[in-house]
Amino acid sequence: MILTGTLLALALSLPARAQNLGAVMTRDQIVAEGEKMALAQFDAMGRNYWGRFWVDGVFWAGVADLSKVSQNPELREAIKKMGARKSNNAGPWCLFYVEPEKEPNHADDMCIAQVFLDYYEETKEPAVLVDTQRRIDLATESILSREMADNASKVHDLHWQQGLTWYWCDALFMAAPVHARLSAITGDPKYLQAMHVEWARTSDLVYDRDEHLFFRDKKYIERKTKSGQKLFWSRGNGWVMGALARILPYIPENDPLRSRYVDQLRDMSAKLASIQRPDGTWSPSLLDYDQFPYSETSGTALNTFAMAWGINNGVLDEKTYRPVVEKAWAALLAARTGKGFLGYVQGVGSEPDKVHADQFTWYGNGAFLMAAAQVAQMAPIKLPPAPQLSAAPPKAKN
């Protein structure tokens, strides 16, 4: 269902350049759109700069990415303030714990470390690295242990949350980039080895090599949509696309396993390009638009980020994928709410669901910032007219 009134309001709020056929955005204009969203998020948190859980960590990872192309010092200063404060009973520059007794190496805990490692590379402050390295040491030891190898060998016979450390595809985004980057920073290959091992285990379990898409986790392998299609979740595949773009910079060119990730990014990108919606987005259910006919933007932003990174780094063919990225970027611009956040974001979940035009989250904003940082490097960007996006009817008010 197309919400004409809401869409008109969104379109009118956009810069004129985003509404006109053949409009062009410069690098500075793209960066400025990212800065406005980041600063709006800072305002929304009252300039207190909290956040260590994965929902927040994705936003901060986007801030770190944007700071590489922005001249605004407030972005880096905000990261410093966030990391230096005590949060959730953890000290400065400490990671989050979800269930330390049940899952001490839970991937969601590790997401914020992407930001800490970025800040460490800039400052070389030893305290920034301590807790991240301690936690990734423990995770690496566990992943490479005989016990986990034995569990992985019988993963198909175990409960869906057993057998692997990264047993759901989102985990590849949350934890794998930390392993890859920490290996590059320290020169210790064990972190990269653990990433190679666990990525392969996860792919072997939930990557469909015929469709070149990931099931969210083992529960969804046999499930079908109402029309009988395989059930592939848009944001779940966006997480993997984003992960590939975040690990490849830290896998050495001479690593014999590097081609595995390059091939996966190319295969997934080709599949996703073939099923992109006319409005530039991807549906919550990638192969069944009829059941979920919505323009979902968190998966779209992650795909935009990854494909733009691939173009910028010679991994994806620019002639093929630039039009895909430009359509997606125009959709992301059209999806912004009146507060300046990314709307049309499916809420926290694990499978396709309804999308509302005014729905936004920290991770959606973070994915937009990541996309902006990479799309800016492709500038100038030619934009199609602002598309009409589709969402579920507004939630009923009590």
Side-chain angles (χ1 to χ4, degrees), residues 145-387:
S145 69
R146 171 52 56 188
E147 177 184 4
M148 290 306 297
D150 290 343
N151 287 345
S153 69
K154 53 188 177 184
V155 66
H156 290 280
D157 300 321
L158 298 175
H159 183 267
W160 74 277
Q161 290 182 307
Q162 296 176 321
L164 302 180
T165 303
W166 303 342
Y167 51 81
W168 72 112
C169 71
D170 318 27
L172 298 178
F173 180 93
M174 305 302 165
V178 182
H179 282 259
R181 194 165 189 174
L182 185 60
S183 190
I185 287 173
T186 63
D188 193 329
K190 69 180 181 182
Y191 306 118
L192 194 59
Q193 180 187 0
M195 189 202 77
H196 286 327
V197 167
E198 195 65 11
W199 190 290
R201 291 171 179 168
T202 305
S203 287
D204 287 344
L205 180 63
V206 294
Y207 182 55
D208 187 316
R209 287 174 170 78
D210 294 326
E211 297 289 353
H212 300 299
L213 295 171
F214 275 77
F215 296 104
R216 195 272 180 173
D217 56 60
K218 193 168 74 171
K219 300 194 308 295
Y220 295 94
I221 294 175
E222 301 300 328
R223 285 183 58 181
K224 296 292 191 291
T225 68
K226 288 183 177 180
S227 66
Q229 296 282 353
K230 295 177 182 179
L231 184 57
F232 294 114
W233 182 38
S234 178
R235 187 164 68 241
N237 282 272
W239 287 132
V240 181
M241 288 284 287
L244 288 163
R246 298 184 83 75
I247 63 174
L248 278 167
Y250 306 105
I251 302 176
E253 293 287 342
N254 62 355
D255 188 321
L257 295 179
R258 179 181 170 83
S259 61
R260 173 202 299 173
Y261 304 97
V262 171
D263 289 346
Q264 199 164 59
L265 179 59
R266 288 172 175 165
D267 289 345
M268 292 185 70
S269 294
K271 178 65 176 186
L272 288 164
S274 73
I275 57 176
Q276 187 180 28
R277 289 166 54 94
D279 65 14
T281 68
W282 281 269
S283 176
S285 184
L286 289 172
L287 301 185
D288 192 343
Y289 287 8
D290 291 336
Q291 185 176 353
F292 296 97
Y294 312 127
S295 309
E296 204 286 315
T297 58
S298 61
T300 297
L302 290 163
N303 292 338
T304 305
F305 159 67
M307 290 185 191
W309 181 90
I311 292 170
N312 291 333
N313 290 275
V315 175
L316 296 180
D317 176 64
E318 182 170 5
K319 183 178 179 180
T320 300
Y321 290 100
R322 176 176 277 271
V324 178
V325 169
E326 290 177 336
K327 282 179 62 178
W329 178 245
L332 296 177
L333 293 176
R336 290 171 299 177
T337 70
K339 294 182 179 180
F341 299 148
L342 183 66
Y344 294 82
V345 172
Q346 184 190 326
V348 175
S350 59
E351 61 184 78
D353 204 348
K354 291 181 179 180
V355 174
H356 299 278
D358 60 353
Q359 193 165 353
F360 61 89
T361 64
W362 283 57
Y363 56 79
N365 291 342
F368 180 94
L369 301 185
M370 293 177 204
Q374 289 298 324
V375 172
Q377 296 176 58
M378 293 173 55
I381 293 294
K382 294 181 180 179
L383 294 177

Side-chain angles (χ1 to χ4, degrees), residues 94-155:
C94 288
L95 275 59
F96 191 84
Y97 268 117
V98 177
E99 296 181 282
E101 295 181 0
K102 181 180 178 182
E103 292 188 66
N105 303 311
H106 197 284
D108 287 353
D109 299 359
M110 313 302 174
C111 182
I112 194 65
Q114 296 183 48
V115 187
F116 293 170
L117 292 180
D118 186 88
Y119 190 79
Y120 173 80
E121 284 201 286
E122 177 185 294
T123 65
K124 298 299 189 291
E125 295 179 18
V128 176
L129 193 61
V130 172
D131 195 57
T132 292
Q133 188 163 8
R134 178 183 68 84
R135 293 284 297 278
I136 301 303
D137 276 338
L138 293 173
T140 294
E141 181 180 353
S142 176
I143 289 170
L144 297 178
S145 69
R146 171 52 56 188
E147 177 184 4
M148 290 306 297
D150 290 343
N151 287 345
S153 69
K154 53 188 177 184
V155 66

